[in-house]
Amino acid sequence: MNATRRDVLKIGGLGMLGAVGGVGLPWGAGLGAKSASELDPSRMPTPFGTEFTRPPVLRPSRSIRGADGVWVDHYSVTERTGSAALVAGARTPVWGYEGLAPGPTVNTRQGRRSVFRVRNQLPRRHPSLGYEGPTSVHLHGSASLPQYDGYASDVTPSGFYKDYHYPNAQRARTLWYHDHGVHHTATNAYFGLFAQYHLHDRAETELLPQGEFDVPLTVADAMFAADGSLAYDDNSTSGLWGDVILVNGRPWPVMKVKRRVYRFRVLNASISRSYRFALDNGDPVTVVATDGGLMPRARQVGEWRHSSAERYEVLIDFRKYRPGQRVVLRNLSNRNNVDYDHTDKVMAFDVTDEPFSTRDATWNRLPQVLQTSDAMTLTEPMARRTRRLQLERKNSLWTINGKTWDDVVRSGYQDVIADPDVGDVEIWELENRSGGWFHPLHIHLVDFRILDRNGRPPFDYERGPKDVAYVGENETVRVIMRFGPHRGRYMVHCHNLPHEDHDMMTQFSVGWRPGQYDPNDPMLAAPAQVDTLG
């Protein structure tokens, strides 16, 4: 018999999730419950009751040539309150870029630089949680200078703005921009501060579907209070698992598709939940790109494990389905999630007989040979050094090698966990010693190649450039990377965001040593400015 959330929380004072050592309990195979929301059942969203939508595209306010002849696109986006139609009879307040959750998508091309102005017009205090939460924007997957990388303590208060400069020099990939404000990343992101950012290049444009058939899928989960607002419960910093699955801000939507090949850019924007995606009919999907862009070779998989912040680009071939057929994207889940009645469903595709142009060669193409990248050419003999990062729980805090972000702050932002030089190749062994939790570990600045998991080869869908590693329960994941192109200090942290905020985050440096002058100081080189823009 399924338990309600109230039944779950009766156990152990802090609840089943907080019954051991004041923190969340490792569940092994996971905890099942009926619901997490406190809405009347008649107002709860129901699977496949809404139409699929895409976020709007953010257009540049102006484009000018720089002194070096390179085009620079200037964007402006405002962080502000908004509302979403998620539950019957109410508008759910959100914090979003342009008041949207997710925010508008950016489309740009390799070699065009971006200046991304972010204006913080959010309330000074969060209206339901009460904290003062200045923001910091991280373009996740971009090799940005430290002062534009969304360093957690480089914050923009309400009434200020900051211009972020993005080089867009890397190969095509699915990036995303999201909040990274120190100690409040989880809540700021949960309430809506996230969006996709697409970097295109010639190879990706020729190989993969574009335009209408290049589809962002930003997946998140949520739970609701009785009045229809978003509820927040991180189970004593263990994690938040909602009972409603949102895709592009819609609960369990239905998308009409034509009988051709589609490309889906799947981003897990949940702050804690991982997914194991699969089609309900058992057909495989073709994985063509990972966090850092195209894989050397496409991989067909029947399912894939997908943690917070990872991006996988998959092709689904709808040619073989009859008009009127429904194909459901399911969530088979993983260990140490909390699952509810309908979290095994994500969205549905309804196949139509609508016509489309076959002049586009990607309509029936499932390419196998794609493109290699620097990260995927790295081999173990190239490594100058091997380091071990131990992820564990100590003294009621989530730590990396026993260190927390507060340790970095107390050092005057001098302490670093690693100090490679520009161009150095290193192997990092990511060891999960925290018992029953998984940790999606994100390393800023670089793409890496996963060498192995507990000595076994990586999963097929991981055989491309990555910037987040799903470090499962009792796993040691070895990754190899080349550091650069910039010098300075960058963060490494768990992307289960309650873990990051409490306090599984530290920093490394590239070509910099503590005490040295840093022209790219992440907090001083490009601080936020008072917003008098009107």
Side-chain angles (χ1 to χ4, degrees):
M1 178 177 178
N2 282 328
T4 66
R5 180 167 175 263
R6 284 191 180 90
D7 291 334
V8 170
L9 295 177
K10 288 176 185 176
I11 303 172
L14 288 172
M16 183 179 290
L17 308 184
V20 175
V23 299
L25 174 70
W27 301 270
L31 173 68
K34 184 175 181 60
S35 65
S37 296
E38 296 185 348
L39 283 171
D40 184 279
S42 66
R43 301 178 63 204
M44 277 290 290
T46 57
F48 315 138
T50 59
E51 183 180 348
F52 176 81
T53 62
R54 305 179 195 222
V57 174
L58 187 68
R59 306 294 182 187
S61 57
R62 61 190 175 110
S63 299
I64 59 174
R65 283 192 184 272
D68 57 0
V70 175
W71 281 100
V72 183
D73 297 317
H74 289 254
Y75 298 88
S76 180
V77 67
T78 300
E79 299 170 324
R80 58 182 175 85
T81 57
S83 65
L86 299 177
V87 302
R91 298 286 298 185
T92 299
V94 298
W95 286 27
Y97 301 109
E98 298 302 323
L100 303 172
T105 302
V106 175
N107 276 307
T108 190
R109 296 197 65 82
Q110 183 187 45
R112 292 182 73 97
R113 294 195 292 265
S114 299
V115 176
F116 202 66
R117 173 164 291 178
V118 181
R119 305 175 66 191
N120 184 350
Q121 294 186 3
L122 294 165
R124 189 172 65 87
R125 287 190 177 275
H126 193 280
S128 61
L129 301 180
Y131 65 87
E132 286 194 32
T135 63
S136 179
V137 179
H138 174 45
L139 181 55
H140 185 132
S142 173
S144 304
L145 285 166
Q147 61 268 41
Y148 305 121
D149 189 52
Y151 193 76
S153 294
D154 175 37
V155 294
T156 300
S158 178
F160 285 67
Y161 76 90
K162 176 161 177 163
D163 288 342
Y164 293 84
H165 294 247
Y166 299 137
N168 300 327
Q170 297 154 291
R171 290 178 172 172
R173 61 189 58 205
T174 299
L175 306 96
W176 64 303
Y177 58 103
H178 64 82
D179 187 68
H180 220 305
V182 63
H183 296 313
H184 296 293
T185 296
T187 47
N188 287 351
Y190 176 71
F191 279 86
L193 289 172
F194 57 87
Q196 292 201 21
Y197 184 111
H198 300 165
L199 179 59
H200 297 271
D201 66 14
R202 178 177 295 178
E204 162 268 338
T205 301
E206 292 176 353
L207 284 167
L208 300 178
Q210 304 290 315
E212 175 188 354
F213 308 106
D214 178 2
V215 185
L217 299 183
T218 300
V219 183
D221 60 340
M223 65 175 74
F224 296 93
D227 63 358
S229 62
L230 288 170
Y232 187 85
D233 179 0
D234 68 7
N235 299 296
S236 302
T237 77
S238 178
L240 181 147
W241 295 270
D243 55 353
V244 176
I245 304 299
L246 305 173
V247 180
N248 293 353
R250 293 290 186 97
W252 299 289
V254 178
M255 177 184 180
K256 294 185 183 300
V257 295
K258 300 172 183 178
R259 298 179 69 197
R260 57 152 290 157
V261 174
Y262 279 71
R263 168 194 190 177
F264 295 98
R265 301 174 183 258
V266 188
L267 159 66
N268 178 3
S270 292
I271 65 170
S272 300
R273 181 180 295 281
S274 72
Y275 298 83
R276 188 154 52 98
F277 293 112
L279 300 182
D280 68 332
N281 57 19
D283 285 347
V285 302
T286 301
V287 184
V288 292
T290 47
D291 306 331
L294 291 174
M295 305 167 73
R297 296 188 64 87
R299 304 283 176 163
Q300 282 203 327
V301 301
E303 60 184 53
W304 75 98
R305 188 174 70 168
H306 197 140
S307 70
S308 301
E310 289 186 294
R311 289 89 66 212
Y312 288 102
E313 296 185 31
V314 303
L315 304 182
I316 300 180
D317 185 358
F318 294 106
R319 292 176 299 166
K320 54 191 170 184
Y321 303 127
R322 66 183 184 278
Q325 185 171 350
R326 171 167 288 184
V327 180
V328 174
L329 180 62
R330 296 193 59 208
N331 169 32
L332 306 180
S333 197
N334 303 299
R335 293 177 61 195
N336 296 312
N337 279 316
V338 181
D339 294 313
Y340 300 99
D341 276 5
H342 296 299
T343 52
D344 61 342
K345 309 169 189 71
V346 180
M347 66 177 294
F349 305 101
D350 281 353
V351 181
T352 73
D353 58 0
E354 292 182 48
F356 57 88
S357 174
T358 56
R359 292 181 183 177
D360 172 9
T362 66
W363 80 273
N364 65 350
R365 180 196 298 163
L366 295 173
Q368 296 304 304
V369 178
L370 299 168
Q371 185 182 64
T372 193
S373 59
D374 179 68
M376 298 308 293
T377 65
L378 300 178
T379 59
E380 293 188 51
M382 301 168 68
R384 292 175 58 91
R385 182 166 179 173
T386 296
R387 304 180 194 262
R388 175 158 288 216
L389 276 62
Q390 296 177 337
L391 316 178
E392 55 189 329
R393 181 83 175 183
K394 281 190 172 181
N395 300 320
S396 299
L397 292 172
W398 303 99
T399 67
I400 301 176
N401 287 359
K403 297 285 189 179
T404 69
W405 190 251
D406 278 348
D407 292 324
V408 173
V409 173
R410 283 194 292 269
S411 75
Y413 302 97
Q414 297 292 297
D415 280 359
V416 295
I417 204 167
D419 57 355
D421 205 348
V422 173
D424 282 0
V425 175
E426 293 192 354
I427 294 170
W428 286 12
E429 298 176 346
L430 315 176
E431 181 184 8
N432 184 351
R433 299 181 59 180
S434 59
W437 290 273
F438 57 86
H439 298 293
L441 197 79
H442 174 39
I443 304 172
H444 284 223
L445 178 66
V446 297
D447 296 335
F448 54 74
R449 174 188 167 205
I450 296 179
L451 294 172
D452 53 55
R453 294 177 170 278
N454 288 351
R456 296 186 295 274
F459 296 116
D460 275 354
Y461 51 81
E462 297 179 306
R463 295 175 184 267
K466 298 278 294 162
D467 58 44
V468 178
Y470 189 126
V471 188
E473 296 81 357
N474 302 311
E475 281 188 336
T476 296
V477 180
R478 295 196 312 141
V479 302
I480 187 169
M481 61 213 128
R482 188 193 310 275
F483 289 89
H486 306 303
R487 298 178 183 273
R489 284 163 279 178
Y490 292 90
M491 294 177 296
V492 53
H493 60 87
C494 179
H495 229 289
N496 180 333
L497 295 181
H499 293 187
E500 173 192 320
D501 286 343
H502 302 280
D503 201 22
M504 192 176 269
M505 180 165 65
T506 186
Q507 66 178 356
F508 64 95
S509 65
V510 180
W512 178 87
R513 298 290 185 273
Q516 289 182 339
Y517 168 69
D518 186 358
N520 296 318
D521 188 293
M523 296 173 61
L524 302 178
Q529 305 294 314
V530 176
D531 191 348
T532 59
L533 303 174

